[in-house]
Amino acid sequence: MLRNYLLLALRTLRRHKGYAALTIGGLAVGVACCLLIGLYLRDELSFDRHHSQADRVYRVSMHVPSAMRSSPDWAVTLAPMGPILQEQIPAIEAVTRWTDRGETLVQSNDRAFYEDRFLYADSAAFAVFDLPLLRGDPTTALTRPQTVLLSASTAQRYFGTADPVGEVLTLNTEEAFEVTGVFEDVPRTSHIQADFLASNQALFAGESWSRPRTSYTYLLLRPGADLAQVEAAMQVVNETQFKPQRDIAERLDLTVLTDIRLFGRFDNDIQPQGDIRYVYLFAAIALLVLLIACINYMNLATARSARRAREVGVRKAVGANRRQLIYQFLGEAVLISLMAVGLGLVLVQASTPLFEQLIGRELGSLYDHVGWLVAVGGLVMAVGLLAGSYPALYLSRFRPSTVLKGRTRTAGWSRVRQALVVVQFAASCALIACTAVIQQQMRYVQSERLGFDKEQLVVIPTFDELGTQASAFRAELLRQAGVERVSLGYGLPGERRMAISFYSAEDIEDYEAPEDEHVAMDAAWVDAYYLETLGLRLVQGRSFEAFAGADSARVAVVNETAVRRLGWSEPLGKEIDGLRVVGVVEDYHVGSFRDAVEPTLIEFDPAASTHAAVRLSGGDIRATLARLEAVWDTFVPGRPFQHSFMADELEALYRADLRLGRLFAAFAGVAILIACLGFVGLAAFTAEQRTKEIGIRKVL
């Protein structure tokens, strides 16, 4: 019987090649899209799951309510909190604290690189996370100050095939760190990315509550620990021990390690994280594409009902019952879906490199996990049964006495088919509308005014290396052809984490903070030429140029959001922690458009010089950059010259969004293409059914 069904199905497909191509091709493209999106979703959901204790590891965050800022949750905690929590709460098995050093110049012999994945940690990191050491002892690693571990690829980059253990690295030309081990490269699916892991013993030596450092604090709970009880105990410790020392966090929260990537919404996170809403969005797209492909099959199969009506009638006349016919048509559908899935796997294999290039990451193979092979098998059956169920029920109900006379009643089923077409068309229209909205948003973030002029603005990290030569360095840059303005400072837009300053209500003139609210503002420390160099628009007061040469002036400029939230009707002359407000600038975005403009205080500080912002006047940009490098080599010999364009830095903030926007548009386009294939097929079969009518009309 099965052999007979298979032969009938193959014979039918061979006889109607156009129908077979439309059906199998549409399903194959739908399955390929579904599997590609599945690869992306698998990757997103796999972050931090390579750690064997991931279900017991939690990161501590601080909830700091503030009438001034939009985001109250902080990924960092005050460094003294971690050890005290472990001491006071028995359910905590281990605590590890991590700190990001930021961009650092690392030198070894004749090799020097700027590194931005340099982190500090303690020896407990090996008890909490899976960090396999290729060289070194995990029981003694990071137990001594001024020691560092390297990732395997970093050790190769600095020392080649030689054993790096015992070698010395110099940081920023002054700090020496001994290499004590090599760890495996951190998987890309980790929310912590590190090439260097240094001991934090010296970093936290002599720490106090008066000026505490911050760190990313991770807890390993004991097996069977009750999370609710741990959080309640944390709150007690916060109220009784932390708040009396440093009244900053309203409460402490815990986020399980595997949720940080997609569910974390924190200020000052260690890495830019993802968004669970994208996972839901692309899962919905995958289902829509597959649904549209299945509707295509249903519509094309039922549109051919008149052609197969006599076959059904003959088979019923010779004894076939309805159940056998249903099995036959379902078998055909499963065979078609098998072919479609086979072709879809080929399409996935061929398009994966392009797909990875589109999203900017490697996804691995579809066959890396047995679970995915099982999922493909389940997909075959699901697609076949779903797509073939309606045609099987529809075709198997024909009566032999009716269809053998050439009469079929299809009005009721035609209405069902029309309803399916409407659903398909509505889904396609919805995808078109969503694509248009997303593209408009992407154009908006790329073209909307940020509140300052990002074009022709070069940023040169100086790492505070200039010292007393900062003014001379600036003056020499201004002498170069092609340079219009120069400013030195800390707190440029586009930096991964802006500095944030906290104040008490008593520090701010004419301001009463709501009860239990903290006053926090984004902060920048700049020289006298910052506002003009960036092109910030002054709406009240005067800029810092009026104070050029007055190095001891305690003055500041705030943005419009700060004025509104402080409730000042006349901000000029007001004081914030001893700083006199001399101007108000128009609101400007320091980061992504996703983030609200926060209250910002720009403090006049001529000594700050972690970055140089250079406004170019145009002309030969490459030649101007060469002149800037020559000036750099004169003032900071031995340190590599590094620069970036502000426009590129800001565009990088939206790179993931732009990629996902293009990805959404691509899959929406494929879904619309599949729907159009179905419409073309339906139109062709409708025209075929009306051949006699067309002939009569032509004769008349």
Side-chain angles (χ1 to χ4, degrees):
M1 183 66 72
L2 290 175
R3 180 175 176 274
N4 185 40
Y5 288 162
L6 179 62
L7 287 174
L8 283 171
L10 291 174
R11 207 172 289 159
T12 301
L13 293 176
R14 188 171 63 247
R15 190 179 302 121
H16 304 286
K17 297 182 180 63
Y19 159 77
L22 280 175
T23 306
I24 296 173
L27 274 177
V29 173
V31 167
C33 287
C34 199
L35 292 177
L36 283 173
I37 293 175
L39 281 173
Y40 166 74
L41 297 183
R42 183 188 72 180
D43 185 74
E44 283 291 298
L45 295 171
S46 67
F47 269 73
D48 294 308
R49 296 185 185 276
H50 58 279
H51 296 291
S52 58
Q53 304 175 123
D55 60 329
R56 295 195 287 128
V57 177
Y58 292 81
R59 187 174 72 182
V60 186
S61 60
M62 297 191 301
H63 182 78
V64 185
S66 172
M68 296 290 289
R69 292 183 59 81
S70 303
S71 176
D73 295 305
W74 294 67
V76 294
T77 61
L78 302 183
M81 289 180 173
I84 296 175
L85 288 174
Q86 184 177 12
E87 179 185 336
Q88 297 293 320
I89 304 175
I92 298 176
E93 182 177 324
V95 171
T96 180
R97 296 176 293 175
W98 294 56
T99 303
D100 188 356
R101 181 186 175 101
E103 195 166 42
T104 302
L105 177 66
V106 180
Q107 295 172 291
S108 173
N109 300 323
D110 59 340
R111 300 190 179 186
F113 303 95
Y114 285 107
E115 306 285 357
D116 61 358
R117 292 165 56 167
F118 194 109
L119 279 75
Y120 291 94
D122 46 43
S123 58
F126 298 96
V128 176
F129 299 109
D130 292 353
L131 293 169
L133 283 182
L134 303 176
R135 290 188 176 92
D137 184 356
T139 60
T140 59
L142 304 181
T143 56
R144 291 188 291 116
Q146 303 304 114
T147 58
V148 64
L149 305 174
L150 309 182
S151 69
S153 59
T154 302
Q156 172 75 22
R157 182 153 44 95
Y158 279 89
F159 302 103
T161 57
D163 186 354
V165 175
E167 297 289 341
V168 175
L169 296 177
T170 304
L171 274 58
N172 292 342
T173 69
E174 55 187 24
E175 295 180 76
F177 278 75
E178 178 190 352
V179 179
T180 58
V182 178
F183 58 91
E184 286 186 4
D185 285 351
V186 177
R188 185 186 53 76
T189 53
S190 172
H191 84 281
I192 303 177
Q193 294 294 314
D195 290 331
F196 301 81
L197 205 53
S199 170
N200 62 13
Q201 283 202 353
L203 195 67
F204 293 146
E207 64 184 0
S208 66
W209 286 105
S210 59
R211 292 186 65 85
R213 286 183 175 271
T214 58
S215 66
Y216 300 94
T217 304
Y218 297 87
L219 313 179
L220 175 65
L221 301 187
R222 299 186 186 280
D226 187 291
L227 180 61
Q229 291 181 1
V230 173
E231 289 183 320
M234 284 173 50
Q235 187 59 23
V236 171
V237 175
N238 185 45
E239 293 288 341
T240 58
Q241 298 195 39
F242 298 158
K243 280 192 173 183
Q245 296 287 346
R246 194 85 179 183
D247 186 15
I248 184 171
E250 179 65 22
R251 69 170 189 270
L252 302 180
D253 296 321
L254 292 178
T255 304
V256 68
L257 183 65
T258 52
D259 280 355
I260 292 175
R261 163 71 179 179
L262 294 175
F263 294 92
R265 292 290 177 273
F266 301 103
D267 263 352
N268 283 40
D269 214 328
I270 195 167
Q271 290 285 339
Q273 305 302 343
D275 193 330
I276 189 62
R277 291 173 295 184
Y278 287 134
V279 172
Y280 296 148
L281 176 64
F282 282 100
I285 292 175
L287 293 176
L288 267 180
V289 171
L290 194 59
L291 177 63
I292 289 173
C294 290
I295 289 176
N296 268 357
Y297 175 78
M298 294 180 190
N299 284 337
L300 291 172
T302 52
R304 297 178 61 252
S305 59
R307 282 182 168 272
R308 306 202 66 178
R310 290 183 182 275
E311 175 192 343
V312 172
V314 171
R315 292 184 66 81
K316 280 195 171 184
V318 297
N321 58 38
R322 189 181 183 192
R323 178 181 297 177
Q324 290 173 321
L325 291 170
I326 289 175
Y327 288 160
Q328 175 192 341
F329 291 122
L330 286 178
E332 286 184 16
V334 171
L335 177 62
I336 288 174
S337 64
L338 274 170
M339 293 179 177
V341 170
L343 180 58
L345 291 174
V346 173
L347 292 175
V348 169
Q349 203 72 22
S351 60
T352 295
L354 178 61
F355 183 66
E356 290 177 338
Q357 184 179 356
L358 188 64
I359 64 174
R361 68 174 81 166
E362 293 183 4
L363 297 176
S365 172
L366 184 67
Y367 312 106
D368 286 345
H369 301 280
V370 176
W372 277 87
L373 294 177
V374 174
V376 170
L379 185 63
V380 171
M381 295 303 299
V383 170
L385 294 174
L386 176 62
S389 58
Y390 170 42
L393 294 173
Y394 172 52
L395 295 174
S396 64
R397 69 189 292 273
F398 288 158
R399 294 182 180 179
S401 59
T402 303
V403 297
L404 291 177
K405 294 176 183 178
R407 297 196 302 268
T408 56
R409 298 180 60 188
T410 61
W413 292 95
S414 295
R415 284 193 292 271
V416 174
R417 188 168 65 248
Q418 290 166 2
L420 290 174
V421 171
V422 170
V423 170
Q424 190 181 40
F425 189 70
S428 302
C429 289
L431 286 174
I432 292 172
C434 290
T435 303
V437 170
I438 290 174
Q439 295 306 313
Q440 285 179 349
Q441 291 292 327
M442 293 301 101
R443 283 194 294 270
Y444 172 80
V445 300
Q446 290 178 299
S447 61
E448 182 66 12
R449 188 176 185 274
L450 297 168
F452 65 95
D453 185 5
K454 65 180 180 179
E455 304 301 332
Q456 302 291 327
L457 192 61
V458 175
V459 179
I460 303 173
T462 60
F463 304 100
D464 279 330
E465 286 294 312
L466 295 170
T468 57
Q469 299 185 91
S471 296
F473 176 72
R474 177 182 177 276
E476 188 61 31
L477 288 178
L478 283 171
R479 293 191 187 99
Q480 307 306 310
V483 175
E484 185 176 318
R485 286 184 174 276
V486 179
S487 172
L488 297 172
Y490 169 67
L492 291 174
E495 290 182 23
R496 185 154 61 90
R497 286 188 294 274
M498 291 289 295
I500 299 174
S501 293
F502 286 89
Y503 307 94
S504 66
E506 293 76 18
D507 295 332
I508 304 175
E509 186 178 347
D510 289 343
Y511 174 68
E512 292 185 8
E515 188 176 356
D516 297 327
E517 295 274 336
H518 299 273
V519 181
M521 288 190 277
D522 283 354
W525 293 265
V526 302
D527 66 6
Y529 314 100
Y530 178 80
L531 304 185
E532 289 74 16
T533 302
L534 263 69
L536 294 173
R537 193 169 73 88
L538 199 67
V539 294
Q540 286 188 61
R542 49 185 172 159
S543 73
F544 295 138
E545 279 195 330
F547 300 91
D551 293 352
S552 61
R554 295 272 293 157
V555 294
V557 168
V558 295
N559 67 348
E560 293 172 306
T561 296
V563 173
R564 285 194 302 272
R565 295 190 184 173
L566 289 171
W568 285 344
S569 58
E570 179 48 62
L572 300 183
K574 295 289 194 298
E575 290 196 358
I576 299 176
D577 195 25
L579 296 169
R580 180 165 53 91
V581 175
V582 297
V584 178
V585 295
E586 185 182 71
D587 282 341
Y588 65 100
H589 288 269
V590 298
S592 167
F593 273 102
R594 290 190 303 271
D595 304 323
V597 175
E598 300 290 359
T600 303
L601 182 140
I602 306 171
E603 181 177 345
F604 175 59
D605 183 2
S609 60
T610 61
H611 290 82
V614 182
R615 171 75 61 189
L616 305 184
S617 58
D620 189 343
I621 301 296
R622 184 172 298 179
T624 303
L625 291 175
R627 288 190 287 272
L628 297 182
E629 183 174 4
V631 173
W632 173 266
D633 291 339
T634 301
F635 281 85
V636 195
R639 294 202 59 164
F641 175 72
Q642 186 180 18
H643 74 278
S644 61
F645 284 88
M646 177 70 74
D648 295 337
E649 293 287 332
L650 293 171
E651 184 180 348
L653 298 174
Y654 303 104
R655 194 165 293 149
D657 293 319
L658 291 169
R659 284 171 174 164
L660 290 175
R662 289 194 293 267
L663 187 62
F664 184 95
F667 283 121
V670 170
I672 294 164
L673 174 63
I674 295 173
C676 290
L677 285 176
F679 296 152
V680 170
L682 279 176
F685 283 121
T686 300
E688 185 179 354
Q689 287 178 343
R690 302 180 68 178
T691 302
K692 289 185 179 181
E693 176 188 342
I694 294 169
I696 292 171
R697 288 181 178 275
K698 282 195 172 185
V699 169
L700 295 175

